[in-house]
Amino acid sequence: MNVKDIIIIGGGAAGFFAAINIAERHPNLKVAILERGKEGLQKVKVSGGGRCNVTHAEFVPSELVLNYPRGEKELLGPFHQFMTGDTIEWFETRGVTLKIEDDGRMFPITDSSQTIIDCFLNEAKKHKVEVLYNESVKQIELRDETKDVDHHFKVETQSGLFYCNKLVVATGSNPKIWKLIEGLGHSISPAVPSLFTFNIKDERIKDIPGVVAQNVEVKVVGSDLFSEGPLLITHVGMSAPAILKLSAYGAIELAKRNYKFEIEINFIKQSFEDCLENLKNLKQEFAKKTVFKSAQFDLPKRLWHKLVEASGMDQETRWADLNKHQLENLSTQLTQAVFQVDGKSTFKEEFVTAGGVDLKEVNFKTFESKLHKNLYFAGEVINVDAVTGGFNFQNAWTGAYLVSKAI
């Protein structure tokens, strides 16, 4: 009979972090990870373009939680227990130094995710965590809690049966495992993609991929969804934080709309009226110059050219010759440009989903199931997700650490 004290299902970020911390606290316990793949830590490997965006330099819990469209309220308490500073310290005491980039993202100074993977594999080995690969879980059975059974859980994989007293589920967004958890009586919020870029075909952004508008406001027409930040024009549409934040906060709403909707962009963060007033002043100031060649409002030249053309002017139109109608058109393009979104694309390899174990059914002091004693969850298996920038990993580290503490 294959008996362990603690089994962790899932050899990803949360699974390894939980296993290592449990084994370190309890050297006498038999701790095993069951990983369905032939190797683990795959998301760690590809995160941050292969550099592993470990966490984000945000050190105030109430500020950190603002990056979680789902889980904001629930993570406040846990972040008071274990958050960014603790993550940095945890890695540093194990020989991994992290650095902060200008945008707040934190990476190992080696700029290689392999550093994090090696750290986890070494720690697991050091603390005698058994890592079993190619173990796809088929069934999770809860033994009768009212009777005096030796082992609370029976876990069936394609290779056989495992028994344990405490079970940690850290499988990320895995529909098969969600189905098994549902079989134990838990509610699962349906999964929808959460971090994605917008597919947009529009003359105004055609042939200018790579152009970045540094500080824009974007809203989804006909909803309260709104975000701001840098916006990147790509070969297929738009990306960068302004769009990714919108995709995360709007994950459920945009899925309902089948990813067909309109967005309104304010490229210069001014009202239509203020912009119009500024354009009238520029008309006086640059009377003899062509509008096309005199980009304003710190906009990239190529984007300015497109918006000027979209306002009904040619390359020779001078500021002095602008009529009321053209000025209003240009102000509209700058402050209220509407684009039709038709579909989405995954953001890099970072496939994140909203969905998972219902937050009301998890005790966030311990990350234990409220329905079954000795059943714990960590990472994206619960209905928590974050915007891009290292926040999803921070949720994994925090949850896994509190699980280890509770156990």
Side-chain angles (χ1 to χ4, degrees):
M1 202 156 95
N2 213 335
V3 178
K4 312 289 174 197
D5 293 298
I6 294 157
I7 286 177
I8 289 112
I9 304 177
F16 264 89
F17 206 73
I20 292 162
N21 282 294
I22 292 165
E24 197 172 29
R25 284 166 187 267
H26 303 285
N28 55 326
L29 294 182
K30 280 186 179 170
V31 180
I33 293 174
L34 302 180
E35 163 57 39
R36 65 178 172 167
K38 59 180 191 293
E39 50 185 321
L41 300 164
Q42 287 307 292
K43 235 179 179 180
V44 171
K45 197 174 193 169
V46 299
S47 150
R51 296 195 298 144
C52 189
N53 186 183
V54 176
T55 185
H56 201 96
E58 174 52 76
F59 299 95
V60 181
S62 57
E63 296 286 320
L64 183 59
V65 293
L66 300 176
N67 296 286
Y68 296 84
R70 280 146 293 273
E72 179 184 332
K73 187 169 91 255
E74 290 78 7
L75 289 175
L76 186 59
F79 284 156
H80 278 284
Q81 300 284 317
F82 189 94
M83 62 174 288
T84 319
D86 307 292
T87 300
I88 297 166
E89 189 186 355
W90 193 94
F91 281 105
E92 293 216 324
T93 55
R94 288 158 184 82
V96 178
T97 308
L98 303 179
K99 59 170 182 175
I100 303 173
E101 305 219 324
D102 292 346
D103 58 4
R105 292 182 304 159
M106 298 194 70
F107 296 90
I109 50 167
T110 56
D111 273 331
S112 167
S113 54
Q114 198 57 46
T115 306
I116 305 297
I117 292 170
D118 291 344
C119 169
F120 283 161
L121 294 176
N122 292 338
E123 289 294 313
K125 198 170 167 187
K126 179 172 149 191
H127 297 292
K128 299 185 172 51
V129 172
E130 202 180 345
V131 186
L132 302 165
Y133 296 105
N134 298 310
E135 291 287 0
S136 188
V137 171
K138 306 280 179 227
Q139 198 55 47
I140 301 170
E141 198 180 301
L142 207 58
R143 318 292 292 285
D144 192 341
E145 290 172 11
T146 57
K147 292 181 184 152
D148 188 21
V149 289
D150 281 346
H151 311 292
H152 295 307
F153 299 96
K154 180 166 91 174
V155 178
E156 184 188 337
T157 71
Q158 85 272 30
S159 75
L161 297 175
F162 293 84
Y163 296 86
C164 64
N165 281 327
K166 292 183 191 292
L167 184 66
V168 183
V169 184
T171 45
S173 308
N174 182 332
K176 283 184 181 150
I177 300 294
W178 278 334
K179 204 96 198 115
L180 298 182
I181 296 169
E182 225 169 6
L184 300 176
H186 271 285
S187 320
I188 303 292
S189 304
V192 293
S194 171
L195 274 186
F196 49 86
T197 60
F198 294 175
N199 296 353
I200 299 169
K201 280 200 175 93
D202 192 295
E203 280 301 318
R204 288 167 293 178
I205 58 169
K206 199 178 161 196
D207 306 327
I208 57 166
V211 166
V212 177
Q214 279 306 339
N215 199 3
V216 308
E217 292 174 344
V218 190
K219 58 184 182 194
V220 174
V221 176
S223 82
D224 297 333
L225 293 168
F226 166 89
S227 82
E228 53 192 347
L231 180 141
L232 167 71
I233 290 163
T234 69
H235 288 284
V236 291
M238 293 179 182
S239 183
I243 297 298
L244 295 168
K245 271 190 267 185
L246 210 55
S247 78
Y249 281 90
I252 292 159
E253 168 72 25
L254 301 181
K256 281 183 194 155
R257 297 187 184 202
N258 202 17
Y259 308 106
K260 292 183 184 345
F261 53 93
E262 285 182 335
I263 53 172
E264 184 180 298
I265 301 177
N266 187 333
F267 286 106
I268 60 171
K269 284 178 111 171
Q270 290 184 13
S271 69
F272 172 84
E273 291 74 21
D274 287 349
C275 178
L276 190 57
E277 204 49 50
N278 286 325
L279 290 174
K280 284 175 184 168
N281 293 334
L282 291 167
K283 180 177 168 165
Q284 307 299 323
E285 196 181 334
F286 296 121
K288 291 185 174 154
K289 292 188 172 168
T290 65
V291 181
F292 189 82
K293 281 195 177 147
S294 36
Q296 299 298 321
F297 308 106
D298 293 327
L299 279 181
K301 280 193 183 116
R302 291 195 293 162
L303 179 59
W304 172 263
H305 293 163
K306 290 281 191 182
L307 297 178
V308 167
E309 285 171 345
S311 309
M313 304 171 211
D314 61 33
Q315 296 189 14
E316 305 309 317
T317 308
R318 293 183 316 154
W319 282 97
D321 302 331
L322 291 183
N323 59 34
K324 180 173 176 264
H325 187 56
Q326 285 170 314
L327 285 167
E328 284 174 354
N329 278 356
L330 185 53
S331 188
T332 300
Q333 289 297 338
L334 291 165
T335 63
Q336 301 169 350
V338 175
F339 291 85
Q340 183 66 47
V341 177
D342 187 8
K344 61 174 175 49
S345 298
T346 303
F347 175 62
K348 298 188 179 161
E349 308 84 352
E350 299 187 22
F351 188 70
V352 174
T353 57
V357 178
D358 192 314
L359 301 177
K360 292 190 202 69
E361 298 172 357
V362 179
N363 173 356
F364 280 90
K365 286 190 173 73
T366 57
F367 283 76
E368 188 176 18
S369 158
K370 285 183 182 175
L371 309 190
H372 305 294
K373 275 175 71 91
N374 302 310
L375 172 62
Y376 297 84
F377 302 108
E380 274 188 63
V381 68
I382 51 182
N383 187 20
V384 168
D385 63 290
V387 299
T388 185
F391 301 105
N392 280 302
F393 276 143
Q394 186 55 56
N395 165 48
W397 315 138
T398 297
Y401 186 82
L402 292 188
V403 165
S404 75
K405 206 172 151 190
I407 284 175

